[in-house]
């Protein structure tokens, strides 16, 4: 009896010693995920660039100087100038601000929408769930870009409109994941216990269910940023995103500048390159975080390449029986 | 199995209904009245001062009745008057999606012309994607955490991160400067010159295929990793089977089942991707039709495109689910 109590106490102590989830994820990211760390550094650099855009840029992004139009990269204009004589480096740096805003604010909205729908649909179950899920079904039938374009045509162009449309549109789709997670959690005894002692629905949802689906919630946030940044760029490229002269990376690749690209190929190169690096970093980081948060993907039960390969080699070395 | 199929098809009915409602309502929220555009256009065309009355156009297009009546007529459950005033059911249920507001064509005809282009592009992209995704994904899994795996995974993430419209832009700019070559933008119908048509589609297909190859690659890798930890793989190894047999026959075949179903879920992305690619390469497919319809406020055309693609995706999902149940005996269909 005493031993059992001691064991329980030990286990409890072990549980208490556990690091908070976010710190734990960070530590393991540094230790276990080199590619994710690279992504994290890229994202960090992007955030710093976006915050200090005013300080770093040599020119203002909309400052025109027709005398210097279409100048190739040089010491005065490191990345060259565009067809209106605007400094490309400055425009790219300010573009980082747009991208990071879309990425973070959009992801936050997407996560919020997904969590709300997922919690309500999953916890209510029954008829409510069936009705909500038919809406989600119908929504997911449309190609994302079709939804983006059509709704953008309704709400008009602009940064906050883009964030609103992309965030909500993706959030509705992602709510599926959380609904599934809520279904799994709902059946646990502690949820039943909470109900039994008279906890309200809101309290049960916020105190007992939400903390237990934090892993998928964070995952949705982490993997959405890159997607949303790319979505904004695509919309701006097609002329339905953020209108000029705001320096959006996607918008810089389209519009009037397109006619001058043969003359000044650097116009085509830099915005896309910046976009690639940032989205790549976001995706790498997002993937690493998802791997760390998803218990199914944790190692443990024999890694194929490690254990089985070695065994295979050992077998090959054994003398063949005739 | 039969009960499962019936239940799945029955579930499609409310979804399809919601699809039509969503399409119909959202599209009519687009600001900027088509009537104003048309009045301006018509008065230009007529020239002789015979401007058409806005109310008359509105009546002609059936936009003068409340929205739920418009919806009913569009669906074909409320009678529509024709030019002579005769009432008849003429909507989706009768196989009629209406006529374009601008071109002298029915939506069905126009979609019929555009669909083969998009389907060809989509099918070729899918082939390209699988051609890259399956070998690289499998290799990544069987050499987990080696240099090869890192390279494979980097390629996969790059494929997702590099925007296709940027690569396409580069393709139009750089080769023309250094090689004097630009990708063809003159559309050649397949009936005219099948060879040239296929060649023309290769570049767009590779760019579009890239978009979904990354996701497929990662899915293949994850599924392979999961399968490779199963007991029957250990059994296969301990039987002394060669690696190729274990990987291809025992592991890959089982790992591919969820991959196939995921490709079905990627279809909306594939169709959406055609918007950008068709726009850049001037291919007259569904994607471009969608863009021009939004610009021109061509409500019937836009509704048609959306309803068509949504139904297509819905049917593909059904087919994928049924194949899944059929391929994988572990799936319980109730």
């Amino acid at each position: 009896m005493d031993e059992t109590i001691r064991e329980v106490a030990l286990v409890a102590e072990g549980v208490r010693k556990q690091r908070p989830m976010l710190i734990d994820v960070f530590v393991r990211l540094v230790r276990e995920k080199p590619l994710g760390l690279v992504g994290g550094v890229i994202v960090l650099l992007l955030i710093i660039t976006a915050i200090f855009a005013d300080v770093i840029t040599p020119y203002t992004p909309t400052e025109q100087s027709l005398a210097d139009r279409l100048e190739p990269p040089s010491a005065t204009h490191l990345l060259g100038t565009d067809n209106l004589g605007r400094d490309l480096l400055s425009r790219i740096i300010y573009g980082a601000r747009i991208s990071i805003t879309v990425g973070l604010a959009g992801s936050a909205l997407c996560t919020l929408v997904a969590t709300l729908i997922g919690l309500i649909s999953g916890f209510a179950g029954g008829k409510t769930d069936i009705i909500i899920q038919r809406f989600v079904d119908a929504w997911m039938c449309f190609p994302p870009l079709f939804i983006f374009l059509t709704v953008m045509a309704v709400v008009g162009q602009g940064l906050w409109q883009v964030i609103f449309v992309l965030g909500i549109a993706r959030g509705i789709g992602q709510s599926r994941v959380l609904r599934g997670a809520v279904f799994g959690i709902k059946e646990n005894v502690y949820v039943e216990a909470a109900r039994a002692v008279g906890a309200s629905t809101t309290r049960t949802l916020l105190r007992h269910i939400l903390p237990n689906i934090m892993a998928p919630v964070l995952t949705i946030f982490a993997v959405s940023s890159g997607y949303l940044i790319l979505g904004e760029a695509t919309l701006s490229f097609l002329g339905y995103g953020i209108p000029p002269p705001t320096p959006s990376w996607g918008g810089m690749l389209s519009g009037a500048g397109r006619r001058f690209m043969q003359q000044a190929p650097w116009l085509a190169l830099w915005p896309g390159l910046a976009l690639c690096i940032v989205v790549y970093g976001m995706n790498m980081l997002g993937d690493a975080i998802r791997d760390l948060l998803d218990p199914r993907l944790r190692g443990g039960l024999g890694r194929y390449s490690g254990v089985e390969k070695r065994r295979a080699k050992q077998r090959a070395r054994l003398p063949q029986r005739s | 199995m039969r009960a499962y199929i019936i239940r799945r098809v029955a579930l499609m009915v409310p979804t399809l209904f919601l699809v039509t409602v969503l399409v119909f309502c959202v599209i009519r929220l687009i600001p900027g009245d088509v009537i104003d555009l048309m009045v301006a256009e018509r008065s230009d065309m007529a020239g002789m001062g015979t401007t058409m009355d806005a109310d008359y156009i509105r009546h002609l297009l059936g936009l003068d009745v409340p929205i739920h009546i418009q919806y009913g007529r569009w669906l074909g459950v409320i009678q529509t008057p024709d030019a002579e005033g005769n009432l008849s059911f003429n909507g989706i249920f009768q196989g009629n999606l209406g006529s374009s507001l601008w071109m002298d064509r029915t939506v069905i005809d126009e979609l019929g012309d555009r669909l083969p282009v998009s389907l060809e592009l989509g099918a070729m992209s899918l082939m390209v994607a699988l051609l890259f995704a399956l070998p690289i994904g499998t290799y990544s899994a069987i050499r987990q955490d080696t240099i090869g795996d890192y390279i494979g995974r980097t390629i996969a993430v790059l494929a997702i991160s590099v925007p296709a419209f940027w690569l396409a832009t580069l393709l139009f700019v750089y080769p023309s400067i250094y090689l004097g070559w630009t990708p063809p933008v003159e559309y050649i119908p397949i009936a005219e010159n099948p060879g040239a048509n296929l060649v023309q589609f290769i570049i767009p297909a590779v760019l579009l295929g890239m978009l979904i190859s990354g996701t497929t690659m990662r899915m293949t890798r994850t599924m392979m990793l999961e399968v490779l930890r199963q007991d029957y793989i250990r059994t296969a190894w301990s039987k002394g089977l060669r690696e190729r047999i274990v990987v291809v026959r025992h592991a890959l075949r089982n790992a591919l089942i969820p991959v196939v179903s995921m490709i079905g879920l990627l279809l909306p992305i594939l169709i959406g991707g055609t918007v950008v690619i068709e726009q850049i390469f001037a291919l007259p497919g569904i994607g471009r039709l969608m863009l021009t319809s939004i610009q021109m406020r061509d409500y019937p055309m836009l509704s048609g495109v959306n309803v068509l693609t949504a139904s297509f995706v819905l049917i593909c999902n059904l087919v994928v689910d049924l194949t899944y149940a059929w391929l994988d005996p572990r799936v319980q269909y109730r």
Side-chain angles (χ1 to χ4, degrees):
Chain A
M1 187 67 187
D2 275 0
E3 288 206 348
T4 329
I5 292 173
R6 206 173 302 131
E7 263 172 32
V8 170
L10 278 176
V11 169
E13 201 175 347
V15 169
R16 212 178 305 126
K17 264 185 189 166
Q18 242 183 17
R19 293 176 292 242
M21 186 160 71
L22 280 175
I23 298 174
D24 180 57
V25 165
F26 177 73
V27 171
R28 287 178 56 213
L29 178 76
V30 175
R31 277 196 202 144
E32 298 170 26
K33 300 278 174 189
L35 288 177
L37 191 61
V38 172
V41 171
I42 294 176
V43 173
L44 201 64
L45 283 178
L46 175 76
I47 294 176
I48 294 173
T49 316
I51 293 176
F52 296 104
D54 303 316
V55 189
I56 317 171
T57 46
Y59 305 88
T60 58
T62 48
E63 179 185 311
Q64 302 184 5
S65 132
L66 290 175
D68 302 325
R69 61 199 297 269
L70 298 178
E71 270 198 22
S74 64
T76 43
H77 296 283
L78 280 178
L79 300 183
T81 59
D82 69 1
N83 51 314
L84 296 173
R86 294 174 295 196
D87 182 53
L88 269 182
L89 179 64
S90 307
R91 285 180 70 71
I92 300 257
I93 292 176
Y94 272 93
R97 216 174 239 193
I98 304 286
S99 283
I100 200 78
T101 314
V102 171
L104 296 184
S107 287
L109 183 62
C110 158
T111 314
L112 185 72
V113 170
T115 312
L116 274 179
I117 300 179
L119 277 179
I120 295 171
S121 190
F123 192 70
K127 280 202 186 101
T128 320
D129 179 50
I130 289 178
I131 294 170
I132 294 178
Q133 287 312 307
R134 292 293 77 69
F135 271 101
V136 178
D137 268 347
W139 188 260
M140 287 174 74
C141 286
F142 298 105
L145 205 55
F146 280 28
I147 298 182
F148 296 163
L149 283 171
T150 313
V151 184
M152 282 309 290
V154 174
V155 299
Q157 298 182 12
L159 175 63
W160 294 102
Q161 284 89 331
V162 169
I163 293 174
F164 177 77
V165 171
L166 292 182
I168 292 185
R170 186 175 166 86
I172 294 178
Q174 295 286 313
S175 69
R176 274 285 160 81
V177 181
L178 296 180
R179 168 184 172 265
V182 172
F183 260 154
I185 301 290
K186 195 171 69 167
E187 304 303 327
N188 279 320
V189 187
Y190 56 80
V191 175
E192 206 178 315
R195 305 290 290 175
V197 296
S200 67
T201 305
T202 323
R203 189 185 163 84
T204 317
L205 280 175
L206 293 182
R207 297 296 295 269
H208 299 279
I209 299 208
L210 191 59
N212 285 298
I213 58 165
M214 272 328 269
V217 167
L218 281 177
T219 306
I220 289 181
F221 182 83
V223 297
S224 291
S225 312
Y227 175 88
L228 295 176
I229 290 178
L230 215 48
E232 181 273 316
T234 312
L235 278 180
S236 296
F237 177 77
L238 290 172
Y240 285 86
I242 297 168
T246 312
S248 148
W249 291 340
M252 288 165 77
L253 286 168
S254 73
R258 236 178 137 71
R259 282 201 303 276
F260 299 94
M261 282 178 182
Q262 308 275 340
Q263 240 174 302
W266 55 89
L267 283 182
L269 188 62
W270 304 125
L273 203 60
L275 196 57
C276 287
I277 295 173
V278 165
V279 177
Y280 177 78
M282 286 272 184
N283 283 341
M284 281 305 215
L285 181 64
D287 275 8
I289 292 177
R290 183 191 43 203
D291 286 0
L292 291 176
L293 289 173
D294 188 346
R296 279 176 312 166
L297 298 175
R298 276 178 205 158
L301 277 173
R303 280 189 169 162
Y304 167 80
S305 54
V307 182
E308 300 292 350
K309 261 320 267 182
R310 229 175 297 134
R311 280 185 200 154
K313 268 185 198 158
Q314 280 165 2
R315 266 200 311 276
R317 250 182 265 123
L318 290 174
Q320 295 283 318
R321 275 180 297 174
S322 50
Chain B
M1 185 75 179
R2 184 186 293 162
Y4 174 74
I5 296 176
I6 292 173
R7 210 175 57 105
R8 273 304 316 257
V9 175
L11 270 179
M12 267 174 71
V13 176
T15 311
L16 265 177
F17 169 70
L18 284 172
V19 162
T20 59
V21 173
L22 277 177
V23 166
F24 196 83
C25 295
V26 171
I27 285 171
R28 266 153 193 78
L29 289 175
I30 297 180
D33 203 340
V34 67
I35 306 297
D36 300 339
L37 284 174
M38 290 188 99
V39 170
E41 176 107 331
R42 293 275 156 100
S43 57
D44 281 355
M45 282 195 312
M48 308 298 174
T50 51
T51 47
M52 278 178 108
D53 191 349
D55 285 338
Y56 179 64
I57 298 180
R58 201 166 276 133
H59 173 71
L60 212 62
L61 299 175
L63 296 175
D64 56 343
V65 291
I67 189 161
H68 61 276
I69 309 263
Q70 286 182 38
Y71 175 70
R73 287 181 176 172
W74 181 61
L75 216 55
V77 292
I78 295 178
Q79 293 182 323
T80 320
D82 60 10
E84 282 92 48
N86 301 324
L87 290 171
S88 61
F89 292 106
N90 200 5
I92 293 180
F93 284 139
Q94 286 76 36
N96 187 349
L97 284 168
S99 301
S100 163
L101 296 183
W102 296 95
M103 295 174 281
D104 192 16
R105 301 207 62 182
T106 63
V107 173
I108 296 274
D109 285 347
E110 188 65 25
L111 287 177
D113 281 358
R114 304 286 193 125
L115 197 58
V117 178
S118 291
L119 283 182
E120 187 183 351
L121 182 60
M124 281 179 75
S125 315
L126 199 58
M127 276 194 290
V128 170
L130 291 181
L131 218 58
F132 281 106
L134 295 187
I136 299 182
T138 310
Y139 182 83
S140 242
I142 58 179
R143 299 283 182 272
Q144 193 191 3
D145 289 332
T146 62
I147 299 287
D149 178 27
Y150 281 128
I151 294 174
R153 280 157 71 186
T154 308
I155 294 175
V157 181
L158 272 181
I160 299 171
S161 313
V162 179
F165 65 84
W166 178 54
L167 281 189
T169 306
L170 290 185
L171 262 177
F172 274 102
V173 172
Y174 282 87
S176 76
I177 295 173
Y178 297 107
L179 305 170
W181 173 88
T182 40
V185 287
E186 189 85 19
Y187 174 67
I188 309 157
I190 194 159
E192 231 166 70
N193 187 345
N197 173 277
L198 284 182
V199 171
Q200 178 182 33
F201 271 85
I202 286 179
I203 296 174
V206 169
L207 290 177
L208 191 52
M210 200 190 70
L211 193 73
I212 49 172
S213 75
T215 321
T216 319
M217 218 180 277
R218 286 165 8 145
M219 184 78 175
T220 312
R221 177 175 177 275
T222 315
M223 282 303 130
M224 276 297 279
L225 283 177
E226 213 167 295
V227 169
L228 284 169
R229 288 171 191 170
Q230 302 289 326
D231 287 342
Y232 60 83
I233 297 297
R234 190 174 303 144
T235 312
W237 279 122
S238 31
K239 280 201 310 192
L241 293 179
R242 274 173 300 147
E243 182 174 30
R244 199 167 54 88
I245 305 274
V246 176
V247 169
V248 176
R249 199 172 295 170
H250 292 243
L252 192 59
R253 279 175 79 168
N254 286 299
L256 279 187
I257 298 174
V259 175
V260 169
S261 83
M262 196 210 49
I263 291 170
L265 295 178
L266 281 177
L267 276 177
I269 297 176
L270 191 65
I271 300 173
T274 58
V275 176
V276 183
I277 295 293
E278 284 174 7
Q279 178 72 5
I280 296 176
F281 288 90
L283 299 173
I286 297 281
R288 262 185 106 202
L289 183 62
M290 157 103 196
L291 268 183
T292 44
S293 309
I294 288 187
Q295 273 155 10
M296 306 297 289
R297 308 274 183 271
D298 198 339
Y299 304 143
M301 195 60 92
L302 197 52
S303 316
V305 171
N306 272 305
V307 166
L308 179 88
T309 42
S311 323
F312 178 69
V313 169
L314 206 56
I315 290 167
C316 283
N317 283 347
L318 175 73
V319 171
V320 164
D321 274 5
L322 294 183
T323 338
Y324 193 80
W326 176 66
L327 274 179
D328 190 342
R330 283 170 305 180
V331 174
Q332 293 285 318
Y333 24 80
R334 271 174 287 137

